[in-house]
Amino acid sequence: MKTSDLISETYSALITNKARSGLTILGIVIGIGSVIAMIAIGQGSQQSIQSNIQNLGSNLIMVQPGFQRGAGTQVSQGRGSAQTLTLEDADAIGTETTAQAVAPVVSGRYQVTAKGTNTNTSVSGVTADYPAVRNIEIESGVFITAQNLTSMARVAVLGPSVRDDLFGEDADPVGQTIRINKIEFKIVGVTVSKGGTGFSNQDDIIFVPMTTAQQFLAGNQRVNSINVQAYDEKSMSNLEQEITDLLMSRHNITDSDSADFSIMNQSDIVETASSVTNTFTMLLASVAAISLVVGGIGIMNMMLTNVTERTREIGLRKAIGAKKIEISRQFLAEAITLTFFGGIIGIIVGWLISIGMRIFGGIATSISLSSILLAFGVSAAIGIIFGYYPARRAANLNPIEALRYE
C-alpha cells in the first residue's frame, strides 16, 4: 500500500465516524492540556521562588539562633525563637572573618498606628549595612544611618506594603509619624518594592535602628538573625566554616552537635526550594497524566470497535491480497492520527490555560519547550501503545471467517 493510499484510507475511516473520532480526540486533548498546564504551574512556582530567594541578597549567609541539643536528643527551639546570638557576635563576625558585610537583625511583630489607620506587621531593627547585604533600595527619603544607631533615634523606614496600609497607595509618608507599640517614630524613607512571600517578603516590614529596637521594643541586647555577605559565591563555604568556628569558640561549645545556632546559605535555600517544587511539579504532572491514560484507553476502545465493525472489510482486503502488515499499518495509522491531532490541540489548550491562570488567577506559570516536547512525545507513544493491540488483532483475523462475519 502506498503512503498516499494509507493517508486517504485513514482520513476516510476517521471522517466516517466524526462524533466517535471527536470524542476520542477530546480525551487526548484534556490529558495533554492538563499535563502542559500543571507542568507550567510547577515550573512557574519554581522560578518565582528562586527569584524571591535571589532577591534576599547576593552571596548571603544567614545565621539563626536555636536548634540546641541536649542529652543526646535534639531539642529544637525554633529558628529565630531562641536568644543565643548577640550584637557582639555580629561585630566579631565582621572583624574576625573574611565577610564582606554583616547585618544583624532584631525583629518582632507589633501593632502600628498612623492617622486613624493601623496594621500589625513585622518591625526589624537593622544597621546601616542592611541595604547592601539584602539588596534593599530606597524609593524616597533615606535609610537608617550610623548616626541614627549611635543616638538611638526613633526613626523608621517603611516597606511599600506597610506604606499602602497606613497611608494609601503611592503616598509619600516621609516626614510623618507613626506609633509602634505606642512609641512615636518619624518616617525617614520608603523602600522599593521587591515582592516575595514569607521570609523573603521585604515589602511588609518597618525598619528602625538596631539600638532603638533593642532599647524600646525588644528590651534586650539579643538579635534574631545575622545576615553575612561573602565576597563571591566561591568563598561562601569557607566563610560559613569560619563563622561556625568563631561562634562555637565565643559560645564555649566544643561539640558541633550541641551548637546553639544554625547556618544556612543562599545556595542551600535555592537547592531545597528547587527540590520541593520539582516534587510538586512531578505530583501535578502525575495526576494530570492519569487523564492521558484514560484517553489512551478511549483510543483502544474505539479502534477495537472499528475492528469489529470493519471485519468484513478486513476479510475482503485479505482475500484480494492485502498483507498482515498493511492491515496493521492501517489501523495503527488511524490511532496515531487521533493522538497527533489530540496532542496538537491539547498543547494549544494547555498553553491558553496557563496564560489564563497567569493573567486572571495571578498564578505564576512558565511553559518550556521541554514540557511541550514531552507532552507531544507522550501523545505519540499513547497512539502507538494503545493502537498496537487493535491493529494486531485486525491483522490476525482469518479472512474466511471475516468474510462470513455478520
mmCIF file of all heavy atoms in Angstrom, residues 334-357:
data_model
loop_
_atom_site.group_PDB
_atom_site.id
_atom_site.type_symbol
_atom_site.label_atom_id
_atom_site.label_comp_id
_atom_site.label_asym_id
_atom_site.label_seq_id
_atom_site.Cartn_x
_atom_site.Cartn_y
_atom_site.Cartn_z
ATOM 1 N N GLU A 334 -4.427 5.062 11.999
ATOM 2 C CA GLU A 334 -5.624 5.745 12.486
ATOM 3 C C GLU A 334 -5.473 6.144 13.953
ATOM 4 O O GLU A 334 -5.831 7.256 14.348
ATOM 5 C CB GLU A 334 -6.841 4.834 12.305
ATOM 6 C CG GLU A 334 -7.200 4.586 10.851
ATOM 7 C CD GLU A 334 -8.346 3.607 10.691
ATOM 8 O OE1 GLU A 334 -9.063 3.365 11.699
ATOM 9 O OE2 GLU A 334 -8.548 3.088 9.577
ATOM 10 N N ALA A 335 -4.907 5.243 14.756
ATOM 11 C CA ALA A 335 -4.716 5.542 16.181
ATOM 12 C C ALA A 335 -3.717 6.679 16.375
ATOM 13 O O ALA A 335 -3.927 7.595 17.181
ATOM 14 C CB ALA A 335 -4.248 4.284 16.915
ATOM 15 N N ILE A 336 -2.623 6.643 15.632
ATOM 16 C CA ILE A 336 -1.599 7.690 15.755
ATOM 17 C C ILE A 336 -2.136 9.034 15.278
ATOM 18 O O ILE A 336 -1.830 10.082 15.858
ATOM 19 C CB ILE A 336 -0.332 7.290 14.965
ATOM 20 C CG1 ILE A 336 0.322 6.065 15.616
ATOM 21 C CG2 ILE A 336 0.653 8.449 14.898
ATOM 22 C CD1 ILE A 336 1.514 5.523 14.853
ATOM 23 N N THR A 337 -2.945 9.013 14.226
ATOM 24 C CA THR A 337 -3.529 10.260 13.721
ATOM 25 C C THR A 337 -4.422 10.907 14.774
ATOM 26 O O THR A 337 -4.394 12.134 14.970
ATOM 27 C CB THR A 337 -4.341 9.995 12.436
ATOM 28 O OG1 THR A 337 -3.477 9.438 11.439
ATOM 29 C CG2 THR A 337 -4.954 11.284 11.911
ATOM 30 N N LEU A 338 -5.236 10.083 15.451
ATOM 31 C CA LEU A 338 -6.097 10.608 16.513
ATOM 32 C C LEU A 338 -5.276 11.285 17.605
ATOM 33 O O LEU A 338 -5.579 12.391 18.048
ATOM 34 C CB LEU A 338 -6.941 9.477 17.102
ATOM 35 C CG LEU A 338 -8.079 8.933 16.229
ATOM 36 C CD1 LEU A 338 -8.682 7.686 16.871
ATOM 37 C CD2 LEU A 338 -9.154 9.988 16.020
ATOM 38 N N THR A 339 -4.211 10.621 18.063
ATOM 39 C CA THR A 339 -3.389 11.189 19.134
ATOM 40 C C THR A 339 -2.582 12.389 18.635
ATOM 41 O O THR A 339 -2.296 13.302 19.408
ATOM 42 C CB THR A 339 -2.427 10.133 19.707
ATOM 43 O OG1 THR A 339 -1.648 9.576 18.642
ATOM 44 C CG2 THR A 339 -3.195 9.022 20.386
ATOM 45 N N PHE A 340 -2.217 12.389 17.346
ATOM 46 C CA PHE A 340 -1.466 13.511 16.791
ATOM 47 C C PHE A 340 -2.292 14.791 16.852
ATOM 48 O O PHE A 340 -1.842 15.814 17.383
ATOM 49 C CB PHE A 340 -1.061 13.208 15.341
ATOM 50 C CG PHE A 340 -0.362 14.344 14.655
ATOM 51 C CD1 PHE A 340 0.993 14.562 14.854
ATOM 52 C CD2 PHE A 340 -1.053 15.211 13.819
ATOM 53 C CE1 PHE A 340 1.647 15.616 14.233
ATOM 54 C CE2 PHE A 340 -0.410 16.262 13.186
ATOM 55 C CZ PHE A 340 0.944 16.468 13.397
ATOM 56 N N PHE A 341 -3.505 14.719 16.332
ATOM 57 C CA PHE A 341 -4.360 15.903 16.370
ATOM 58 C C PHE A 341 -4.757 16.252 17.802
ATOM 59 O O PHE A 341 -4.829 17.430 18.169
ATOM 60 C CB PHE A 341 -5.602 15.682 15.503
ATOM 61 C CG PHE A 341 -5.341 15.783 14.033
ATOM 62 C CD1 PHE A 341 -5.326 14.656 13.228
ATOM 63 C CD2 PHE A 341 -5.095 17.018 13.445
ATOM 64 C CE1 PHE A 341 -5.069 14.749 11.873
ATOM 65 C CE2 PHE A 341 -4.850 17.127 12.079
ATOM 66 C CZ PHE A 341 -4.835 15.982 11.293
ATOM 67 N N GLY A 342 -5.018 15.233 18.614
ATOM 68 C CA GLY A 342 -5.329 15.489 20.019
ATOM 69 C C GLY A 342 -4.166 16.155 20.740
ATOM 70 O O GLY A 342 -4.359 17.049 21.564
ATOM 71 N N GLY A 343 -2.934 15.723 20.414
ATOM 72 C CA GLY A 343 -1.752 16.314 21.043
ATOM 73 C C GLY A 343 -1.555 17.765 20.655
ATOM 74 O O GLY A 343 -1.256 18.620 21.496
ATOM 75 N N ILE A 344 -1.731 18.065 19.345
ATOM 76 C CA ILE A 344 -1.576 19.446 18.868
ATOM 77 C C ILE A 344 -2.592 20.369 19.548
ATOM 78 O O ILE A 344 -2.237 21.433 20.086
ATOM 79 C CB ILE A 344 -1.764 19.514 17.337
ATOM 80 C CG1 ILE A 344 -0.621 18.796 16.628
ATOM 81 C CG2 ILE A 344 -1.849 20.973 16.882
ATOM 82 C CD1 ILE A 344 0.716 19.473 16.748
ATOM 83 N N ILE A 345 -3.852 19.958 19.541
ATOM 84 C CA ILE A 345 -4.890 20.788 20.159
ATOM 85 C C ILE A 345 -4.672 20.877 21.671
ATOM 86 O O ILE A 345 -4.863 21.937 22.278
ATOM 87 C CB ILE A 345 -6.288 20.212 19.855
ATOM 88 C CG1 ILE A 345 -6.533 20.198 18.344
ATOM 89 C CG2 ILE A 345 -7.373 21.018 20.553
ATOM 90 C CD1 ILE A 345 -7.800 19.475 17.932
ATOM 91 N N GLY A 346 -4.247 19.762 22.289
ATOM 92 C CA GLY A 346 -4.005 19.750 23.729
ATOM 93 C C GLY A 346 -2.904 20.709 24.142
ATOM 94 O O GLY A 346 -2.992 21.375 25.177
ATOM 95 N N ILE A 347 -1.830 20.789 23.338
ATOM 96 C CA ILE A 347 -0.740 21.723 23.625
ATOM 97 C C ILE A 347 -1.248 23.161 23.580
ATOM 98 O O ILE A 347 -0.925 23.978 24.446
ATOM 99 C CB ILE A 347 0.417 21.517 22.631
ATOM 100 C CG1 ILE A 347 1.116 20.184 22.906
ATOM 101 C CG2 ILE A 347 1.416 22.669 22.720
ATOM 102 C CD1 ILE A 347 2.129 19.789 21.856
ATOM 103 N N ILE A 348 -2.061 23.466 22.573
ATOM 104 C CA ILE A 348 -2.621 24.817 22.458
ATOM 105 C C ILE A 348 -3.528 25.123 23.644
ATOM 106 O O ILE A 348 -3.455 26.204 24.249
ATOM 107 C CB ILE A 348 -3.398 24.967 21.137
ATOM 108 C CG1 ILE A 348 -2.439 24.813 19.949
ATOM 109 C CG2 ILE A 348 -4.112 26.319 21.068
ATOM 110 C CD1 ILE A 348 -3.132 24.773 18.593
ATOM 111 N N VAL A 349 -4.381 24.155 23.999
ATOM 112 C CA VAL A 349 -5.292 24.346 25.138
ATOM 113 C C VAL A 349 -4.511 24.537 26.437
ATOM 114 O O VAL A 349 -4.815 25.422 27.248
ATOM 115 C CB VAL A 349 -6.260 23.146 25.258
ATOM 116 C CG1 VAL A 349 -7.026 23.202 26.576
ATOM 117 C CG2 VAL A 349 -7.230 23.136 24.090
ATOM 118 N N GLY A 350 -3.501 23.702 26.660
ATOM 119 C CA GLY A 350 -2.678 23.828 27.873
ATOM 120 C C GLY A 350 -1.972 25.163 27.938
ATOM 121 O O GLY A 350 -1.867 25.779 29.009
ATOM 122 N N TRP A 351 -1.472 25.636 26.800
ATOM 123 C CA TRP A 351 -0.804 26.937 26.724
ATOM 124 C C TRP A 351 -1.778 28.060 27.063
ATOM 125 O O TRP A 351 -1.447 28.976 27.826
ATOM 126 C CB TRP A 351 -0.232 27.119 25.324
ATOM 127 C CG TRP A 351 0.453 28.423 25.089
ATOM 128 C CD1 TRP A 351 1.628 28.847 25.639
ATOM 129 C CD2 TRP A 351 -0.001 29.492 24.244
ATOM 130 N NE1 TRP A 351 1.944 30.107 25.183
ATOM 131 C CE2 TRP A 351 0.961 30.530 24.327
ATOM 132 C CE3 TRP A 351 -1.112 29.669 23.430
ATOM 133 C CZ2 TRP A 351 0.829 31.719 23.624
ATOM 134 C CZ3 TRP A 351 -1.235 30.853 22.719
ATOM 135 C CH2 TRP A 351 -0.274 31.854 22.831
ATOM 136 N N LEU A 352 -3.006 27.982 26.513
ATOM 137 C CA LEU A 352 -4.019 29.001 26.797
ATOM 138 C C LEU A 352 -4.446 28.972 28.271
ATOM 139 O O LEU A 352 -4.657 30.021 28.893
ATOM 140 C CB LEU A 352 -5.234 28.794 25.895
ATOM 141 C CG LEU A 352 -5.019 29.053 24.390
ATOM 142 C CD1 LEU A 352 -6.274 28.692 23.604
ATOM 143 C CD2 LEU A 352 -4.626 30.506 24.144
ATOM 144 N N ILE A 353 -4.560 27.764 28.839
ATOM 145 C CA ILE A 353 -4.941 27.648 30.254
ATOM 146 C C ILE A 353 -3.881 28.286 31.142
ATOM 147 O O ILE A 353 -4.185 29.019 32.094
ATOM 148 C CB ILE A 353 -5.150 26.169 30.635
ATOM 149 C CG1 ILE A 353 -6.411 25.622 29.977
ATOM 150 C CG2 ILE A 353 -5.258 26.014 32.159
ATOM 151 C CD1 ILE A 353 -6.608 24.133 30.191
ATOM 152 N N SER A 354 -2.616 28.018 30.852
ATOM 153 C CA SER A 354 -1.535 28.580 31.677
ATOM 154 C C SER A 354 -1.495 30.101 31.582
ATOM 155 O O SER A 354 -1.268 30.785 32.581
ATOM 156 C CB SER A 354 -0.186 27.983 31.257
ATOM 157 O OG SER A 354 0.136 28.357 29.926
ATOM 158 N N ILE A 355 -1.736 30.633 30.386
ATOM 159 C CA ILE A 355 -1.783 32.091 30.224
ATOM 160 C C ILE A 355 -2.967 32.672 30.997
ATOM 161 O O ILE A 355 -2.848 33.699 31.673
ATOM 162 C CB ILE A 355 -1.873 32.474 28.737
ATOM 163 C CG1 ILE A 355 -0.571 32.121 28.015
ATOM 164 C CG2 ILE A 355 -2.182 33.965 28.574
ATOM 165 C CD1 ILE A 355 -0.597 32.405 26.535
ATOM 166 N N GLY A 356 -4.119 31.992 30.921
ATOM 167 C CA GLY A 356 -5.297 32.453 31.649
ATOM 168 C C GLY A 356 -5.070 32.443 33.157
ATOM 169 O O GLY A 356 -5.494 33.363 33.859
ATOM 170 N N MET A 357 -4.387 31.423 33.658
ATOM 171 C CA MET A 357 -4.089 31.357 35.095
ATOM 172 C C MET A 357 -3.183 32.496 35.518
ATOM 173 O O MET A 357 -3.346 33.069 36.595
ATOM 174 C CB MET A 357 -3.424 30.016 35.432
ATOM 175 C CG MET A 357 -4.369 28.833 35.407
ATOM 176 S SD MET A 357 -3.521 27.304 35.840
ATOM 177 C CE MET A 357 -4.905 26.162 35.929
#
